[in-house]
Amino acid sequence: MSVEIGPLPPPLPDELCERYLRLSFATVGHLIEHGFADPEIRAMVEPVKLAGRAITVRIAPPDSTLVHKATELLQPGDVLVIEASGDRRHAPVGGMVALAARQRGALGIVVDGVCTDRSELQELGFPVFARGTSLLTTKLLGTPSGALNLPVSCGGVVVHPGDLVLADENGVLFLRPSEAAALLPEVETREQRTEERRRRLLEGASLADLSGANAALERLLGRPGGS
């Protein structure tokens, strides 16, 4: 049994989170292929949209001692990201953990595993993302093994402490802060084009024309310019 604890990561720039919150997170999915958690990890409470700093924890179920400790480290704007080491039976997140996280100012919890107390989570209005629910819970055994504020695996993505977490009812995305900042102008430009395309669709335009699908098919069929 061993526990590793890393330092708290630096805070994310407020502007970075605020600008992403004004966008559709799915727009990022038009530009990159990595960082997206397994779609089985989904919102247990809706509606939801959050952008915050990842605080990471890896546990060895059924012991959830480190989850309780992690809630103590949370700061306003954080998202607790839990690796349950492949366990999909024991729930390390329920009403008490969610309440503790909320009281620290956290924005939500993402667990690569299951949660419990779903109705209580809904009453709290506290976002939790999980693979499902379970009546079987983790235990405070006092013999923890795992890590705090070190890289973890969540939904097939390596998540570092301090990563930007973007999550809504469509799924969860993890980005390194430097990449998130570099991508942001392109995401904003793409979203502006999407709004223009939506306007033109409402005016009767063809999506295949607007997107370039028709032009691509014409090239493929050897009819440049439609001739």
Side-chain angles (χ1 to χ4, degrees):
M1 298 289 183
S2 64
V3 175
E4 298 177 275
I5 300 179
L8 277 173
L12 293 172
D14 290 339
E15 183 185 9
L16 183 69
C17 296
E18 291 167 1
R19 287 169 68 182
Y20 267 104
L21 282 172
R22 292 196 290 265
L23 302 170
S24 167
F25 298 157
T27 301
V28 184
H30 289 284
L31 302 174
I32 61 173
E33 289 285 330
H34 57 275
F36 298 90
D38 187 328
E40 284 189 3
I41 299 178
R42 58 193 186 277
M44 298 290 107
V45 177
E46 297 184 19
V48 59
K49 187 174 187 180
L50 60 85
R53 178 182 72 163
I55 297 297
T56 58
V57 58
R58 181 178 71 250
I59 63 171
D63 194 308
S64 60
T65 303
L66 288 183
V67 172
H68 288 216
K69 178 60 179 178
T71 64
E72 187 179 73
L73 304 179
L74 294 171
Q75 298 177 0
D78 284 344
V79 180
L80 182 59
V81 180
I82 303 171
E83 177 188 341
S85 301
D87 190 317
R88 299 191 186 184
R89 298 184 68 239
H90 295 85
V93 177
M96 293 299 290
V97 168
L99 178 58
R102 190 188 72 168
Q103 292 301 105
R104 298 289 295 183
L107 299 177
I109 298 173
V110 181
V111 55
D112 191 344
V114 293
C115 67
T116 194
D117 301 331
R118 188 171 182 180
S119 62
E120 190 172 340
L121 300 179
Q122 291 171 336
E123 289 176 9
L124 282 172
F126 187 78
V128 171
F129 295 78
R131 292 183 180 271
T133 58
S134 175
L135 294 174
L136 180 62
T137 68
T138 51
K139 315 294 191 287
L140 266 292
L141 302 179
T143 55
S145 176
L148 281 172
N149 278 324
L150 290 169
V152 301
S153 177
C154 185
V157 180
V158 176
V159 184
H160 299 260
D163 280 355
L164 174 64
V165 183
L166 302 176
D168 63 15
E169 65 276 5
N170 298 300
V172 182
L173 168 62
F174 304 104
L175 291 172
R176 302 310 310 273
S178 58
E179 182 180 21
L183 272 174
L184 185 54
E186 190 175 0
V187 177
E188 290 174 329
T189 298
R190 178 90 185 205
E191 191 134 313
Q192 290 169 359
R193 290 202 302 266
T194 297
E195 288 303 313
E196 173 63 17
R197 186 172 294 174
R198 183 176 289 111
R199 182 187 65 78
R200 294 189 62 186
L201 284 172
L202 289 170
E203 293 173 349
S206 161
L207 177 59
D209 280 342
L210 294 174
S211 69
N214 277 341
L217 285 170
E218 292 295 344
R219 288 193 300 271
L220 182 65
L221 296 171
R223 297 199 297 267
S227 61

